[in-house]
Amino acid sequence: TFQLDSLLGTPNEETWPGVTALPDYKATFPQWKRPRTPLVPGLESAGCELLEGLLQYDPAKRVSAKQACLHRYFRKGSSYYSGRARRGRANVIEAD
């Protein structure tokens, strides 16, 4: 979890209420601040929003799998983002 903490910042009572009461929480954990740089440079705003929702420490604030699938980032369809739609179209022969 240290890699995630160094990327997102160490969770605290502000970012995850109740975290200090969890059995494995240690006050001696390294305290990283979240960098202001984007997690994925170049990712569009809808993608950043989805990623932020998926990476919430607090489970009550985290986006569910169903919510993620219905997120506006995927409005064009998952095949658009995976590249399957573009590859499939290249193989289609248009009839006159």
Side-chain angles (χ1 to χ4, degrees):
T1 67
F2 288 130
Q3 289 177 338
L4 188 60
D5 290 349
S6 65
L7 184 65
L8 300 178
T10 304
N12 55 39
E13 286 295 322
E14 185 180 318
T15 58
W16 185 357
V19 70
T20 58
L22 294 174
D24 292 328
Y25 180 84
K26 305 282 185 273
T28 56
F29 285 155
Q31 299 297 307
W32 284 293
K33 294 212 181 266
R34 184 172 182 161
R36 295 198 180 267
T37 57
L39 294 174
V40 180
L43 183 62
E44 65 182 83
S45 64
C48 290
E49 178 185 278
L50 176 59
L51 188 58
E52 289 289 335
L54 291 167
L55 295 177
Q56 287 292 316
Y57 281 120
D58 185 352
K61 294 178 184 173
R62 194 175 310 134
V63 173
S64 71
K66 184 175 184 176
Q67 290 169 320
C69 289
L70 298 172
H71 192 273
R72 67 186 179 102
Y73 180 73
F74 294 115
R75 281 201 182 129
K76 293 181 181 177
S78 60
S79 62
Y80 175 84
Y81 292 98
S82 70
R84 291 188 310 247
R86 290 182 295 277
R87 286 193 302 266
R89 285 191 190 117
N91 296 329
V92 173
I93 299 173
E94 305 246 349
D96 287 357

